[in-house]
Amino acid sequence: MDQFETVPGFDDLAHQAALVIETFAAKGFKIATAESCTGGMIGAMLTEVAGSSAVVDRGFITYSNEAKMEMLGVPEEDLISFGAVSEPVAKAMAKGALTSSDASVAVSVTGIAGPGGGSATKPVGTVCFGLAMTVGDGLVITSTMHFPDVGRRGIRFLTVQKAFDLFLKAAGQSMN
């Protein structure tokens, strides 16, 4: 099997991005992103969509630990205790993006896209996600995915796809 068979293509992500923009525009809500391993791909795909300026408030590319702390208020203790690729850091990133923006929903991603950097406990393809919302009950959730090793690009594409899923689930479950 080709390593990229399970990886979404640009057109797949563009379609999903358009759905995110349409859904949030219809509800009148803004979104923010906090990205590490994707390096801005989530924001880039969202802003490919015409009319995205009505929805996308801002995005934070916080690749380094210093950027996570300075731009999003991630506690240094969390980075030391759990590592940058962890649910506590993903949670802090999402909350930081939300409080540093005019968004109602923020999604964060931090992970190991490879080819190096993995370990026995956090192999290549490990990505932690955070979702924070000011609407509804002010929900903050986290999750960890272990994507197959489909190469750096593939892991990043799968991460963007999952981030879009989180936005859509947030819109469907908490913004009615």
Side-chain angles (χ1 to χ4, degrees):
M1 176 164 86
D2 181 354
Q3 73 171 351
F4 291 107
E5 275 186 37
T6 60
V7 176
F10 183 87
D11 290 341
D12 297 327
L13 292 181
H15 173 74
Q16 200 173 9
L19 186 56
V20 169
I21 296 300
E22 290 170 15
T23 301
F24 278 82
K27 295 178 178 291
F29 288 103
K30 290 194 174 280
I31 60 178
T33 62
E35 303 181 59
S36 186
C37 62
T38 50
M41 286 176 65
I42 299 167
M45 291 302 302
L46 290 169
T47 58
E48 278 284 316
V49 180
S52 60
S53 60
V55 173
V56 178
D57 180 59
R58 66 192 73 188
F60 300 88
I61 301 172
T62 55
Y63 214 68
S64 70
N65 287 348
E66 291 76 20
K68 289 173 181 66
M69 291 184 291
E70 291 171 13
M71 295 173 68
L72 299 172
V74 174
E76 184 175 20
E77 305 82 48
D78 287 356
L79 290 160
I80 293 168
S81 297
F82 306 107
V85 179
S86 65
E87 290 189 22
V89 169
K91 180 178 183 177
M93 288 172 66
K95 288 174 69 174
L98 198 61
T99 59
S100 298
S101 70
D102 292 327
S104 300
V105 178
V107 167
S108 66
V109 297
T110 181
I112 305 165
S119 68
T121 56
K122 295 180 186 176
V124 170
T126 302
V127 180
C128 298
F129 296 84
L131 171 72
M133 298 186 289
T134 61
V135 294
D137 296 330
L139 181 68
V140 180
I141 60 168
T142 59
S143 62
T144 300
M145 299 288 299
H146 299 281
F147 295 117
D149 189 356
V150 290
R152 185 175 180 82
R153 179 181 294 163
I155 291 166
R156 291 172 53 158
F157 267 58
L158 290 168
T159 300
V160 173
Q161 184 178 50
K162 174 65 176 176
F164 290 163
D165 285 343
L166 286 174
F167 275 127
L168 292 170
K169 286 178 183 172
Q173 293 178 1
S174 298
M175 299 181 141
N176 296 323

